[in-house]
Amino acid sequence: MTTPPDTTTAKPRELLKVEAAAKRLSVGRTTMFNLIKAGHIETVQVGRLRRVPDTAITDYIAKLTAAQHAA
């Protein structure tokens, strides 16, 4: 008999699909692709797949926050 994995200690994913990254920012898929294309959010390529590092989302949120506090 196997036990299910302990989700309380599971690490969050470090590379997200574009759709998952968009969901994390509460924006649509098209908006996320536009942010990537404009260079606002960094991505990495894994084989033929495009992924968004978890840190790229955190960095983008920090930039938005800093820009709004500076204004």
Side-chain angles (χ1 to χ4, degrees), residues 1 10 12 27-28 30 32 45-46 54 61-62 69:
M1 185 165 141
V27 299
T30 303
M32 181 56 100
Q45 196 158 346
V46 181
D54 185 53
I61 293 169
H69 286 187

Side-chain angles (χ1 to χ4, degrees), residues 9 17 24 34 37 40 45 59 63-65:
T9 59
K17 291 182 179 180
R24 209 168 141 209
N34 288 337
K37 186 176 180 180
H40 298 296
Q45 196 158 346
D59 292 345
K63 287 178 199 173
L64 285 178
T65 304

